[in-house]
Amino acid sequence: MSKYSIESFVNETKENPLERDYFELEKPALLEINLNNQAVWTKTGSMVGYIGNINFERQGMLSGGLGNLLKKAISGEGAKLMKAEGTGKLYVADDGKKVRILHLNNETVCVNGNDVLAHEQSIKSDITMLKSIAGVMSGGLFQVKLSGTGHIAITTHGEPLTLLVTPDAPVFTDPNATVAWSGNLSPELKTNVSFKSLIGRGSGEEFQMKFSGNGWVLIQPYEEVYRVEK
């Protein structure tokens, strides 16, 4: 049999039936979620396929009452989650970004809103916002605080790097390249650029996120810029 035959291609790329974990990394950029009469939250628009009897319910991530003004300010699918419920295999992905699965054990992590791919229903999600206008100009307008016990899946452009934060060594990052950080950290926005010069710009080099204390920050080798609707 030729290594380029259709049969060889199917054998090489087919789903592994032995993998039965609730959250399973089927491919580096493809998450398999094995549902057994369960519900899971996934990024809206991330479903690429499923097997079985699964129902989908689209709902705004910000439907918890932060106000219509905020809802209008956030564009793109990153502002919304989709509830998938039933029994079967669900496959989700996000523009070819690499997927990382984390299991929280009564822990908390903060994730850039656009980098949340999925989380168990047992995980509580809260929207947190940077209070400075710089957060809006970078497009990194909102972050999601995920807490509790259960699986979450986040996405990164390329291979991420974790930087350790210690009291004597704070970490500074570009907001557009910052993916996630430990839940005990509260980033500050640091800039030496006047407010006027920020208008109409979105480069992270003009300001940084400062992390102080004890913890970690996950960055990616890519500046992800998000559009802000007018």
Side-chain angles (χ1 to χ4, degrees), residues 183-196:
N184 61 302
L185 298 181
S186 297
E188 304 172 53
L189 279 160
K190 176 181 174 61
T191 179
N192 294 320
V193 183
S194 69
F195 173 80
K196 183 178 179 181

Side-chain angles (χ1 to χ4, degrees), residues 23-169:
F23 276 37
E24 189 75 46
L25 195 60
E26 185 65 29
K27 302 289 183 181
L30 187 63
L31 175 69
E32 175 186 296
I33 303 174
N34 290 287
L35 294 172
N36 183 15
N37 196 27
Q38 296 162 295
V40 66
W41 291 97
T42 64
K43 185 175 182 177
T44 298
S46 65
M47 187 276 286
V48 294
Y50 68 92
I51 302 169
N53 184 18
I54 301 175
N55 297 313
F56 300 92
E57 178 184 341
R58 183 166 174 164
Q59 180 176 340
M61 180 186 284
L62 301 179
S63 60
L66 286 182
N68 291 329
L69 181 63
L70 179 59
K71 292 180 184 179
K72 290 179 181 178
I74 300 175
S75 63
E77 294 303 306
K80 296 179 174 66
L81 285 178
M82 173 177 63
K83 184 179 182 182
E85 190 169 13
T87 299
K89 292 178 177 289
L90 171 62
Y91 299 94
V92 293
D94 185 15
D95 290 337
K97 295 164 67 176
K98 288 184 178 293
V99 179
R100 295 293 176 125
I101 301 171
L102 300 174
H103 185 269
L104 304 185
N105 183 15
N106 195 26
E107 296 168 294
T108 299
V109 298
C110 292
V111 186
N112 186 305
N114 199 53
D115 299 323
V116 178
L117 180 62
H119 67 78
E120 285 192 49
Q121 197 171 27
S122 60
I123 296 292
K124 181 182 178 182
S125 61
D126 293 307
I127 304 297
T128 60
M129 292 188 65
L130 297 177
K131 296 179 180 179
S132 168
I133 187 66
V136 177
M137 301 316 298
S138 72
L141 182 61
F142 67 105
Q143 295 83 38
V144 183
K145 181 176 282 189
L146 300 170
S147 56
T149 298
H151 292 87
I152 68 172
I154 64 176
T155 57
T156 65
H157 284 279
E159 293 291 343
L161 175 68
T162 298
L163 302 176
L164 298 182
V165 182
T166 61
D168 59 345

